[in-house]
Amino acid sequence: MAIERTFSIIKPDATKRNLTGKVVAKFEDAGLRVVASKRIQMSQAQAEGFYAVHKDRPFFGELVEFMISEPVVVQVLEGEDAIAKNREVMGATNPADAAEGTIRKEFALSIGENSVHGSDAPETAAEEIKYFFNDDEIVG
């Protein structure tokens, strides 16, 4: 197993309901360490750029509107196999399919309002981290 970093967003539905601490606790309880974190109000341009991979999909506009609707918490998580561990802790995208004890099973409101985002691969994690953080903001 390797120590790696991954990117996480605590989405508007979770920050609006004051669940930030509970979500972070789940990551930490799973052995992940928060090495960078900031609460931001994502701009439309930031959201469109971050989700550009989905720009041709029918849900793109709705996704952007959702992500700018309330503050989010962007984070860098570090730990052994952090990408896979983060995805395990988040649970399936559809909260109805998520395993018990996962963030999405406990906190998500729907497939769209599913409380968290996490990188799916090392390359994606590196890109997503650089999108929101400078190197000097990540302190392990």
Side-chain angles (χ1 to χ4, degrees), residues 7-111:
F7 179 74
S8 169
I9 300 176
I10 302 175
K11 293 182 177 181
D13 62 293
T15 62
K16 183 177 183 176
R17 293 178 292 140
N18 205 30
L19 297 173
T20 301
K22 290 179 181 178
V23 171
V24 170
K26 290 229 176 242
F27 292 137
E28 292 179 335
D29 289 347
L32 296 170
R33 186 171 160 200
V34 179
V35 295
S37 180
K38 55 187 170 184
R39 184 179 179 98
I40 63 169
Q41 179 69 54
M42 202 180 293
S43 70
Q44 182 157 344
Q46 277 180 309
E48 287 174 349
F50 185 78
Y51 288 106
V53 67
H54 299 302
K55 70 179 179 229
D56 295 327
R57 301 184 85 176
F59 60 82
F60 179 71
E62 186 178 329
L63 174 60
V64 168
E65 287 303 311
F66 168 61
M67 292 304 292
I68 67 173
S69 68
E70 297 282 338
V72 298
V73 176
V74 292
Q75 301 178 103
V76 180
L77 306 176
E78 184 178 83
E80 286 195 20
D81 294 319
I83 295 166
K85 178 60 70 178
N86 181 33
R87 296 187 70 74
E88 178 184 322
V89 172
M90 288 190 311
T93 302
N94 183 345
D97 298 334
E100 291 299 325
T102 62
I103 293 167
R104 289 178 173 150
K105 186 66 165 187
E106 289 189 27
F107 305 130
L109 300 174
S110 66
I111 292 175

